Amino acid sequence: KNQVEQSPQSLIILEGKNCTLQCNYTVSPFSNLRWYKQDTGRGPVSLTIMTFSENTKSNGRYTATLDADTKQSSLHITASQLSDSASYICVVSARNQAGTALIFGKGTTLSVSS
Amino acid sequence: EAQVTQNPRYLITVTGKKLTVTCSQNMNHEYMSWYRQDPGLGLRQIYYSMNVEVTDKGDVPEGYKVSRKEKRNFPLILESPSPNQTSLYFCASSLFAGAYEQYFGPGTRLTVT
């Protein structure tokens, strides 16, 4: 069964600190992996998209890594800011007969405090 | 401005009263999709559309209908809403299916009493 597991479920850090969020998946056949940031009550916003051949992709202070062999991804946030407080969602895309299917993780809720 | 719009943003209705949530995108995207988001369950795909007149079921299609008569519009129809359809709904679009950035609308919070 295609699944995406994220950890931790929630995380509290101090402003200025770094943090890493984890995503493990059992999705086949793999097409790509995405990280989204979702502020409370708003639609998700794309941070990165990585295909099978990409190991690392950055977007400002956000750096995503992908290990396709172990089926793991991480999102590293550097020098956190209060505005980083949000839910971070890992989404894995699988190829199927109809085209593609998106499998969503349940997200990690990050709280950055001053 | 490139965007996905949804209407209404908030809706309270009663069981059995048919409703439609509209979704429109101005980016000439081929792929559009509807999701619902519930606490503890995350985002779940309801229906998606690869192109005009091409729609397919996602993970939780029961109780919903969609249509794609024009590229820019992808309405979500609840023929007979029930309380278990109370949720936060998001429409999204991308240029094509696959490794293309997906843009989400602002969400529609639906309450069915």
Side-chain angles (χ1 to χ4, degrees), chain B residues 29-46:
Chain B
H29 285 171
E30 301 277 342
Y31 184 88
M32 297 186 74
S33 183
W34 274 103
Y35 303 90
R36 62 177 289 174
Q37 188 173 36
D38 303 289
L41 296 178
L43 281 156
R44 293 179 292 169
Q45 190 174 47
I46 303 171

Side-chain angles (χ1 to χ4, degrees), chain B residues 12-80:
Chain B
I12 300 174
T13 190
V14 296
T15 299
K17 185 176 181 180
K18 180 179 178 180
L19 65 92
T20 299
V21 183
T22 64
C23 172
S24 183
Q25 50 91 6
N26 62 1
M27 296 170 278
N28 203 36
H29 285 171
E30 301 277 342
Y31 184 88
M32 297 186 74
S33 183
W34 274 103
Y35 303 90
R36 62 177 289 174
Q37 188 173 36
D38 303 289
L41 296 178
L43 281 156
R44 293 179 292 169
Q45 190 174 47
I46 303 171
Y47 269 95
Y48 63 93
S49 170
M50 304 283 276
N51 208 331
V52 175
E53 301 290 4
V54 180
T55 63
D56 211 342
K57 297 177 180 178
D59 296 321
V60 288
E62 294 78 21
Y64 304 95
K65 286 176 58 177
V66 292
S67 69
R68 188 89 182 276
K69 299 189 185 303
E70 311 165 273
K71 183 180 279 190
R72 64 182 294 127
N73 296 322
F74 190 44
L76 179 69
I77 303 158
L78 284 71
E79 295 270 5
S80 183

Side-chain angles (χ1 to χ4, degrees), chain A residues 34 36 38 43 98 102 104 106, chain B residues 35 37 40 48 90 98 100 102:
Chain A
R34 310 154 186 242
Y36 288 91
Q38 184 178 22
L102 297 177
F104 286 77
K106 294 181 181 180
Chain B
Y35 303 90
Q37 188 173 36
Y48 63 93
F90 290 101
Y100 293 91
Q102 194 167 45

Side-chain angles (χ1 to χ4, degrees), chain A residues 31-32 34 36 38 41-47 49-51 87 89 93 96 98-107, chain B residues 9 31 35 37 40-45 48 50 56 59 88 90 94 97-107 109:
Chain A
S31 177
N32 60 77
R34 310 154 186 242
Y36 288 91
Q38 184 178 22
R42 308 190 72 165
V45 174
S46 178
L47 294 175
I49 302 174
M50 289 184 292
T51 58
S87 178
I89 304 170
S93 178
N96 59 27
T100 59
L102 297 177
I103 299 94
F104 286 77
K106 294 181 181 180
Chain B
R9 294 290 314 280
Y31 184 88
Y35 303 90
Q37 188 173 36
L41 296 178
L43 281 156
R44 293 179 292 169
Q45 190 174 47
Y48 63 93
M50 304 283 276
D56 211 342
D59 296 321
L88 180 59
F90 290 101
S94 60
Y100 293 91
E101 184 167 343
Q102 194 167 45
Y103 297 84
F104 283 80
R109 187 165 292 281

Side-chain angles (χ1 to χ4, degrees), chain A residues 59-114:
Chain A
N59 179 357
R61 294 180 295 102
Y62 301 100
T63 299
T65 65
L66 174 63
D67 186 334
D69 292 331
T70 62
K71 298 187 177 182
Q72 296 180 324
S73 176
S74 65
L75 180 69
H76 186 75
I77 304 174
T78 304
S80 61
Q81 301 176 357
L82 296 178
S83 59
D84 292 330
S85 296
S87 178
Y88 292 84
I89 304 170
C90 175
V91 184
V92 181
S93 178
R95 292 190 301 272
N96 59 27
Q97 290 181 330
T100 59
L102 297 177
I103 299 94
F104 286 77
K106 294 181 181 180
T108 293
T109 300
L110 174 66
S111 298
V112 181
S113 61
S114 57

